[in-house]
Amino acid sequence: MPLSDGFVAVHHRSREIVVAWAATHRYRALVTDLAVFPLPYIPGASTGVHGGFLDSVRGVIGSVKEHLELLMRDYPNYTVIFTGHSKGGAEAALSALDLVRTVDGLRQRIRVWTFGQPRVGDAQFAALYNQQLGAVTYRVTSAADPVVVMPPQFLFDYCHHGNEVWLMNEAGDMYVGRNYTGCSEDPLASSSVDFYDRTIRWHKNYLGLPPLDHATAVFSW
């Protein structure tokens, strides 16, 4: 049984193929969230990522790849969007990095949008991600969301990849974080908020929309 939930769908009006990963909303997904001990992203390398997120993605990535390749063939002019909220954002980033290196033609069509994403891996992973997908990734954070600063940086050197788009308040003011080599955490963006000023309400509602869930899809898990 998969440790995550998500779907692959086609949005014809916007000419997009969408790979969406859901947030934590089933008990089995808590296993994924709590498995913070890092595993090597590439066997034998020092690049460490959240073990639960990695296991979750690798458990279904073969089927996701199969359906994505078919859709890319059927809709050669569609952009491919990887997206997710919370845990799903971390899984969207990981799956995008896995597939952009293995699916022909994906690099020219991919965009990654995550919302309320926790940290995925260490500084070495962040550098690898930024090298591969930094130019087409938008990591959206909301005001005082506590999830975006988890797991804490002191734990196994966890840090974020780019590019952060910080929604500063309910009025919609935003700040686009500066890019850094390796760990991409701008001290003037969401990192500027004290942890004790953060509340879960900022995590539950992004852009006035509820978290991602299942929709009519070509493939779901």
Side-chain angles (χ1 to χ4, degrees):
M1 179 179 293
L3 294 173
S4 61
D5 298 272
F7 59 84
V8 180
V10 180
H11 194 283
H12 293 291
R13 187 167 59 183
S14 59
R15 299 174 65 85
E16 293 173 344
I17 300 167
V18 180
V19 181
W21 297 76
T24 304
H25 65 287
R26 300 177 189 271
Y27 286 118
R28 70 172 184 269
L30 291 173
V31 176
T32 301
D33 294 344
L34 296 174
V36 298
F37 191 83
L39 296 175
Y41 178 69
I42 299 172
S46 60
T47 306
V49 299
H50 187 291
F53 299 155
L54 186 63
D55 284 345
S56 174
V57 168
R58 294 286 168 82
V60 297
I61 197 69
S63 296
V64 173
K65 178 182 179 182
E66 176 185 347
H67 287 85
L68 177 60
E69 288 177 326
L70 290 173
L71 290 174
M72 288 177 63
R73 182 196 64 193
D74 291 343
Y75 305 103
N77 298 316
Y78 282 27
T79 301
V80 180
I81 305 294
F82 284 74
T83 190
H85 171 255
S86 193
K87 172 184 72 72
E91 292 163 338
L94 273 173
S95 62
L97 185 58
D98 269 4
L99 295 179
V100 79
R101 298 181 302 123
T102 59
V103 174
D104 290 342
L106 179 58
R107 188 174 300 276
Q108 292 74 37
R109 301 168 62 177
I110 192 172
R111 299 291 185 273
V112 183
W113 285 88
T114 71
F115 301 86
Q117 173 195 318
R119 295 178 176 118
V120 179
D122 60 18
Q124 289 74 27
F125 173 79
L128 173 65
Y129 187 95
N130 290 337
Q131 178 189 47
Q132 295 287 322
L133 288 170
V136 295
T137 294
Y138 306 92
R139 180 173 55 81
V140 183
T141 60
S142 179
D145 184 345
V147 173
V148 303
V149 293
M150 301 300 291
Q153 287 185 294
F154 65 79
L155 190 66
F156 305 116
D157 192 32
Y158 274 102
C159 74
H160 274 300
H161 60 75
N163 297 301
E164 182 178 7
V165 180
W166 182 35
L167 306 178
M168 301 169 65
N169 49 46
E170 291 177 334
D173 296 325
M174 69 175 64
Y175 172 83
V176 179
R178 295 172 294 173
N179 293 324
Y180 294 85
T181 300
C183 193
S184 295
E185 301 204 13
D186 187 337
L188 300 179
S190 61
S191 294
S192 65
V193 180
D194 188 273
F195 183 80
Y196 296 102
D197 292 330
R198 298 175 182 272
T199 61
I200 198 65
R201 78 177 184 90
W202 289 109
H203 184 65
K204 292 182 176 180
N205 194 315
Y206 270 73
L207 303 175
L209 300 173
L212 289 167
D213 209 330
H214 281 84
T216 302
V218 175
F219 168 65
S220 62
W221 62 91

